[in-house]
Amino acid sequence: MLKATGGEMTRMDTGATEKIQIIETPEGTFTIRLILDDLGDIYPGMVRYTVEVLRDTETVYTYTINTYESARQDTLFDTRKAAEVVFTRLVHDVAARPHRYTRPRVFTRPLPGTGAIDIVILQGSPRRFGNSAKIASWCDDEAARTGLTSRIFYLQEMDIRPCIGCYVCYNQGYCPIEDDMPPIIKALEGASVVVVCTPVYTGTVPATLKAVMDRCQWLHARENVLGKEVHARGLLVAVAGQQGTRPFACVTGVVGMFMENLGIRSAAPVLIGGLDRARDVEKMDGVEDGVRAALRALLAPQNEE
Ligand SMILES: Cc1cc2nc3c(=O)[nH]c(=O)nc-3n(C[C@H](O)[C@H](O)[C@H](O)COP(=O)(O)O)c2cc1C
């Protein structure tokens, strides 16, 4: 169940208390709770356990684990057992060393506090001055002409690691991998329009763009766990060496699924074949106008529920 907290809808703090221990210490009264959240509506059978330590009413320590992190039930790594071990250890530790729990200890990294960007452009080609980069620059320019803010993320130049499928993001809405993803997540969360510019590489998208899309599972988690909804519209502009629609079959599926997963409402993609050399796209009649028109159509007010 989603719950309103501080003006925002969030999925945290809504679970059932499974265990509770109150400890009186010279540093104050501590409450240790083991909370169970059924996240089965996000993924089948997903259960999250949270162990939290409160000093009076302030949360000073939180440990979270979910069933998708552990390999099997009824083993040493069973999620519930792990949470219970943490609960027991915290009961002992708070009683023995309460001074260590007088200030909140936060282990999640906040996202960077940059201002919202209207149009976020994910440029997926490794070629800095290739066809996708040119298309990205047209979109960037079109945004400026419309009086909107935009940012091109040149993904190849960023430190992006692949998703490791740990499902830790479903605990508190944060990914534990330390790289350049946070500004992308922050930008996508606040964007009105998301444009993906990409070449076809061996039938699909280049590896770094695929890594970014996989890592956006983190955004899916933030939507479901923290209620941070993405309200963007999406546009795919893809280029390929071969002519016709065949080279784009996989790319449209992959990018379409990425957008669908995040609730981004995508427009009809712009697919441009017959391009091999960098900047060939500039020489094709009508392509620039077509890309700009597709973006402008997305910016126009639309009837949406
Ligand atoms: C590694 C690699 C794989 C490619 N695979 C395909 C492909 O499967 N089908 C296709 O039509 N073009 C393929 N291409 C051609 C590119 O899609 C094409 O050159 C495109 O214009 C490059 O865009 P860019 O300038 O934005 O990098 C491939 C190119 C490279 C470098």
Side-chain angles (χ1 to χ4, degrees):
M1 191 180 71
L2 288 170
K3 185 173 137 182
T5 305
E8 277 184 312
M9 298 296 283
T10 167
R11 182 68 178 261
M12 303 299 290
D13 306 328
T14 56
T17 301
E18 297 273 295
K19 281 186 169 189
I20 189 161
Q21 181 99 26
I22 294 167
I23 305 170
E24 299 291 348
T25 80
E27 301 287 354
T29 303
F30 289 88
T31 306
I32 304 177
R33 288 198 302 223
L34 171 61
I35 300 157
L36 180 153
D37 281 285
D38 182 352
L39 303 186
D41 57 331
I42 302 176
Y43 283 114
M46 182 180 265
V47 172
R48 180 182 60 200
Y49 294 95
T50 304
V51 185
E52 63 178 13
V53 179
L54 288 93
R55 183 182 185 226
D56 298 322
T57 53
E58 183 183 29
T59 304
V60 290
Y61 184 92
T62 308
Y63 169 86
T64 338
I65 188 168
N66 73 66
T67 44
Y68 273 44
E69 286 181 66
S70 55
R72 278 190 288 144
Q73 306 293 305
D74 303 322
T75 69
L76 192 61
F77 304 105
D78 178 280
T79 313
R80 168 129 201 158
K81 282 185 200 156
E84 288 191 357
V85 167
V86 171
F87 179 88
T88 306
R89 291 187 71 135
L90 280 170
V91 167
H92 284 293
D93 206 42
V94 169
R97 304 186 294 180
H99 57 278
R100 294 197 57 184
Y101 296 89
T102 51
R103 279 182 290 112
R105 290 151 73 189
V106 179
F107 296 102
T108 51
R109 287 171 304 145
L111 290 176
T114 50
I117 303 159
D118 298 319
I119 303 183
V120 173
I121 304 160
L122 302 179
Q123 199 292 92
S125 172
R127 294 208 282 198
R128 185 65 164 82
F129 302 103
N131 297 309
S132 307
K134 191 67 207 172
I135 291 165
S137 77
W138 291 336
C139 295
D140 198 39
D141 180 63
E142 195 58 37
R145 286 187 190 184
T146 326
L148 297 171
T149 56
S150 58
R151 175 164 172 191
I152 304 174
F153 286 95
Y154 293 91
L155 305 180
Q156 190 69 19
E157 293 162 23
M158 301 176 75
D159 175 24
I160 306 288
R161 317 271 168 85
C163 174
I164 56 171
C166 64
Y167 286 89
V168 167
C169 53
Y170 289 92
N171 287 337
Q172 296 183 65
Y174 290 91
C175 174
I177 300 174
E178 293 207 17
D179 62 2
D180 290 342
M181 271 305 287
I184 297 178
I185 296 290
K186 180 76 178 177
L188 290 174
E189 219 168 59
S192 303
V193 169
V194 175
V195 183
V196 176
C197 302
T198 182
V200 175
Y201 266 23
T202 320
T204 184
V205 295
T208 307
L209 174 57
K210 181 61 165 57
V212 166
M213 291 192 293
D214 291 345
R215 289 287 301 290
C216 281
Q217 196 71 4
W218 175 5
L219 203 46
H220 181 258
R222 286 177 70 78
E223 291 185 55
N224 284 284
V225 174
L226 301 179
K228 301 270 185 190
E229 285 182 27
V230 175
H231 294 286
R233 301 170 192 156
L235 176 66
L236 162 67
V237 186
V239 296
Q242 293 171 290
Q243 299 278 3
T245 54
R246 190 171 160 266
F248 299 104
C250 183
V251 170
T252 50
V254 167
V255 177
M257 193 157 288
F258 157 71
M259 292 191 180
E260 189 185 316
N261 197 31
L262 299 179
I264 298 172
R265 296 171 301 279
S266 51
V270 178
L271 309 173
I272 311 154
L275 296 173
D276 258 319
R277 283 167 307 163
R279 308 295 274 261
D280 268 358
V281 73
E282 287 174 281
K283 298 171 204 148
M284 275 188 168
D285 286 344
V287 170
E288 178 177 350
D289 289 344
V291 170
R292 286 180 183 273
L295 184 58
R296 273 199 308 276
L298 268 194
L299 302 178
Q302 294 174 13
N303 281 334
E304 283 159 359
E305 288 171 15

